[in-house]
Amino acid sequence: MSASHPLDRAVWNALNSRQAPLSIREGGVVRFDPAYATFAAAGPEATPEDWTALARATGPLALFETDPVIPPSLTETARIDCLQMTATAITASGRRQIAFEPLADSDGPDMLALATLTQPGPFFSKTHRLGPFIGIRREGVLVAMAGERLNLDGFSEVSGVCTHPDHRGHGYAGALMRAVGQRILDRGDTAFLHARIGHAATIAFYETLGFQPRITPSYVVMDVA
């Protein structure tokens, strides 16, 4: 189960470093607390019984790796093929500055509502606690946000990027992503993110921010048959 680069198994490395306090373990399998994320990963000693026990105890599990191997004890229920991208520098914007604000735990319900509406990726009741988020409000309503998700030694993921459909076209996503990405770089980490394969316009947009393609992991949700 070794990997040549930490991001080849970002979930495993996050749950065995900075985000270990959020982990739940069963034998050789580890996952995030399901209130935060469905991500799970296995060590070399993992058995099919470990996967089954963890899924029965905590609910559906998701692999997020290249060429994921589905344990024989579980059934695939959903799959999203992705492109992982990294950035060691964030490009400057030629647009006007856009004001944003830090989001707190008390903003959690608003963040979950916006993510539920816009579907930027899996987002649960405590996903916003995985890393600091920032957002933009208009007349008191949260209309755009971005933050961090997977966090492992040397690398932090930009995630949860979304804008309310009624407020698109103002450059909010770019402004927030630049701020989050630069914050990651300023503390000495490499920034990374994931885009859906086939979303060419989104991938091209991320490239304008300074992100470059790296590998193509798949997000595979599994559960007990």
Side-chain angles (χ1 to χ4, degrees):
M1 304 298 291
S2 62
S4 59
H5 191 284
L7 291 183
D8 290 348
R9 304 199 70 216
V11 172
W12 174 260
N13 289 316
L15 288 171
N16 283 281
S17 61
R18 295 176 179 174
Q19 293 178 311
L22 305 179
S23 66
I24 298 173
R25 294 177 183 269
E26 180 67 43
V29 182
V30 61
R31 72 160 296 165
F32 277 95
D33 178 319
Y36 292 82
T38 54
F39 299 131
E45 73 281 12
T47 67
E49 291 74 24
D50 293 339
W51 284 102
T52 301
L54 191 57
R56 283 177 173 161
T58 65
L61 307 171
L63 290 170
F64 200 15
E65 302 178 358
T66 56
D67 302 317
V69 177
I70 313 302
S73 56
L74 300 181
T75 299
E76 179 179 329
T77 61
R79 178 184 291 252
I80 300 174
D81 296 325
C82 298
L83 175 66
Q84 184 186 91
M85 308 178 74
T86 60
T88 55
I90 302 298
T91 60
S93 172
R95 305 183 67 158
R96 63 179 177 81
Q97 292 282 332
I98 296 175
F100 56 83
E101 62 186 65
L103 297 175
D105 194 47
S106 58
D107 297 304
D110 289 347
M111 298 166 74
L112 180 59
L114 181 59
T116 300
L117 173 67
T118 59
Q119 297 293 310
F123 205 97
F124 304 95
S125 62
K126 294 183 180 179
T127 301
H128 66 278
R129 296 183 183 177
L130 290 175
F133 272 74
I134 56 177
I136 296 170
R137 289 186 180 274
R138 292 293 178 259
E139 298 181 356
V141 177
L142 183 66
V143 299
M145 68 178 186
E148 299 177 37
R149 185 172 60 180
L150 294 176
N151 195 307
L152 53 148
D153 291 342
F155 302 88
S156 296
E157 182 189 21
V158 180
S159 188
V161 182
C162 53
T163 303
H164 191 286
D166 294 341
H167 294 268
R168 290 172 181 163
H170 300 291
Y172 294 165
L176 294 175
M177 290 184 69
R178 281 187 169 89
V180 172
Q182 192 60 55
R183 178 180 66 199
I184 290 170
L185 300 184
D186 287 347
R187 64 173 184 253
D189 282 358
T190 294
F192 71 104
L193 54 74
H194 294 93
R196 293 192 183 207
I197 292 290
H199 285 202
T202 299
I203 293 169
F205 168 61
Y206 292 160
E207 288 178 330
T208 69
L209 301 178
F211 289 87
Q212 295 299 316
R214 185 176 174 274
I215 57 173
T216 54
S218 293
Y219 173 76
V220 180
V221 182
M222 309 170 298
D223 206 349
V224 180

